[in-house]
């Protein structure tokens, strides 16, 4: 009997989703990026979203800020925008039975990206998640330790277990060229390297971060794992 119950639950959820109506929503970033402000150039986006059933991908031309799509009314839907196709994501969510407007923020970017990747294999599990309830427990989704969270989500123990928080790590800036390195998003502090002061460090949650030095036409990428291991790389910024 214990083996039959999960199968029955899966079938019931599948039937429920198949008869649930679709609703139309408009999805937009919360604002333009600091990179657009310092360069005067608008960006294009790669868009990946989970509509409650499937994961989809599309591209928005330069200067196009929003798009409309249909989502399952009885499911959580997740939207992730990647500036210039591969830079640090911004994300937003539409709760079950929510409104018809979704705003995306960088604070939710890496968490939303994790949910999209999970939805490709476990759409019903992601669809049942309540971001509203989750944010009452942990207002900053970027502070959630993602590996532990994902384990609890897939095991069905999320409501009964404590949510572990990610640790911020200090990443040394030794070797970074002199200049002002503008973060692609305003919630992450810019990096200023000069001849007067020591380079110092930048404190970050695990994830991938991008900075632009306009005067040098260079991009700094910081990749930080949950273990604290990090990489820094300087390269030409993507064309846009």
């Amino acid at each position: 009997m214990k083996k039959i119950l999960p199968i029955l639950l899966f079938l019931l959820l599948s039937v429920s989703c198949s008869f649930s109506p679709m609703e139309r929503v408009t999805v937009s970033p919360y604002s333009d990026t600091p990179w657009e402000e310092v360069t005067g150039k608008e960006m294009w986006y790669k868009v990946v979203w989970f509509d409650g059933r499937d994961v989809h991908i599309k591209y928005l031309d330069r200067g196009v800020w929003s798009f409309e799509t249909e989502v399952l009314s009885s499911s959580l839907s997740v939207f992730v925008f990647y500036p210039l196709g591969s830079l640090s994501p911004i994300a937003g969510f539409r709760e079950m039975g929510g409104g018809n407007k979704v705003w995306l923020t960088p604070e939710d970017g890496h968490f939303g990206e994790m949910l999209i990747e999970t939805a490709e294999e476990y759409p019903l599990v992601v669809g049942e998640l309540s971001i509203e309830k989750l944010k009452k427990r942990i207002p900053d989704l970027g502070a959630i330790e993602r590996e532990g969270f994902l384990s609890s989500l897939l095991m069905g123990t999320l409501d009964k277990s404590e949510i572990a928080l990610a640790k911020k790590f200090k990443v040394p800036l030794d070797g970074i060229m002199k200049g002002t390195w503008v973060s692609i998003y305003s919630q992450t502090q810019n990096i200023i390297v000069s001849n007067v002061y020591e380079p110092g460090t930048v404190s970050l949650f695990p994830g991938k971060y991008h900075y632009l030095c306009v005067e040098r036409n260079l991009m700094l990428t910081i990749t930080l794992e949950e273990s604290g291991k990090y990489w820094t790389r300087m390269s030409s910024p993507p064309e846009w």
Side-chain angles (χ1 to χ4, degrees), residues 116-178:
I116 289 282
E117 292 170 353
T118 305
E120 291 179 341
E121 291 191 51
Y122 305 99
L124 294 177
V125 174
V126 174
E128 290 293 308
L129 179 65
S130 171
I131 297 297
E132 184 178 353
K133 285 184 180 179
L134 182 59
K135 284 193 172 184
K136 286 181 180 178
R137 298 173 67 182
I138 310 292
D140 182 0
L141 298 183
I144 292 176
E145 193 274 305
R146 292 188 281 275
E147 186 175 335
F149 174 88
L150 188 56
S151 176
S152 296
L153 179 65
L154 295 180
M155 293 292 291
T157 60
L158 187 61
D159 291 337
K160 301 175 184 177
S161 58
E162 184 178 350
I163 298 175
L165 298 181
K167 180 181 178 182
K168 270 193 172 182
F169 295 93
K170 291 184 178 180
V171 178
L173 299 174
D174 300 330
I176 306 302
M177 294 181 179
K178 184 178 72 173

Side-chain angles (χ1 to χ4, degrees), residues 32-49:
D32 57 358
T33 68
W35 284 20
E36 289 169 299
E37 293 174 2
V38 297
T39 64
K41 296 190 294 185
E42 297 175 315
M43 290 187 170
W44 60 271
Y45 290 93
K46 175 184 176 182
V47 180
V48 185
W49 76 99

Side-chain angles (χ1 to χ4, degrees), residues 110 142 144-147 166-171 204-209 221-232:
H110 290 110
I144 292 176
E145 193 274 305
R146 292 188 281 275
E147 186 175 335
K167 180 181 178 182
K168 270 193 172 182
F169 295 93
K170 291 184 178 180
V171 178
L204 299 168
F205 284 119
K208 184 174 282 189
Y209 301 86
T221 302
I222 298 177
T223 304
L224 178 60
E225 293 186 346
E226 295 201 358
S227 64
K229 189 175 182 179
Y230 67 89
W231 295 266
T232 61

